[in-house]
Amino acid sequence: KRKNELASNYHHLRYNFIGPISSASVGTAIDTLTRWSRTRPGEPIEIRFNSPGGEIISGLALYDEIQDMRAAGHEVTTSCYGMAASMAGILLQAGDVRVMGRESWLMIHQASFGIQGKTFEIEDELEFVKMIQKRIKKIFASRSKLSERQIENNWKRKDWWLSSDFALENGLIDSIR
């Protein structure tokens, strides 16, 4: 029993974030990461993503939590094994060290929301989406060799799938495992 405990991801501070990003999955991740931060201050933590993405606002809450952990002295490694698509691709950028598996994929695209309602409501929502997109472009540009303009040109009207080699060459990750 003790060997299994010592071999666990929980013991080694590796959180596997597998599946969609939602308020529930982010809540579980933040609870676990907060517990680790309080009980093992300053120790390195890895968050591994294999996710198709999901809710932007919930994902940005986890992004902020990771930034808080880094500020508190944890070296946070964010990694991708499988795919880090959409919001998961943004979260991959949150770590001190960013890693992808050789056969893994990163996907970047414009923010998307289901908008409906009266014209003024749609216009207000569209302005909010534009603000979020500016922030997302800044995150990718600040953590890579790509400019905001290059990101915008490549994600317009399509999903932009990036190999681990391309991500490394363009500074979106720090290494390939």
Side-chain angles (χ1 to χ4, degrees), residues 132-169:
I132 288 174
Q133 286 200 163
K134 283 182 186 178
R135 293 237 176 138
I136 292 169
K137 282 189 288 187
K138 282 183 194 269
I139 288 169
F140 282 117
S142 71
R143 298 298 317 265
S144 73
K145 297 175 185 174
L146 301 170
S147 69
E148 288 183 41
R149 172 60 90 198
Q150 288 172 305
I151 293 162
E152 188 173 333
N153 287 340
N154 281 292
W155 79 3
K156 276 191 175 175
R157 299 180 189 251
K158 65 178 180 178
D159 293 341
W160 186 25
W161 286 97
L162 313 173
S163 68
S164 56
D165 292 322
F166 183 91
L168 181 62
E169 290 166 17

Side-chain angles (χ1 to χ4, degrees), residues 11-39:
H11 178 77
H12 289 279
L13 305 183
R14 178 189 291 160
Y15 189 86
N16 287 321
F17 198 110
I18 299 170
I21 294 165
S22 66
S23 57
S25 63
V26 166
T28 300
I30 288 174
D31 285 348
T32 300
L33 297 171
T34 301
R35 188 175 314 112
W36 288 348
S37 183
R38 290 176 182 160
T39 59

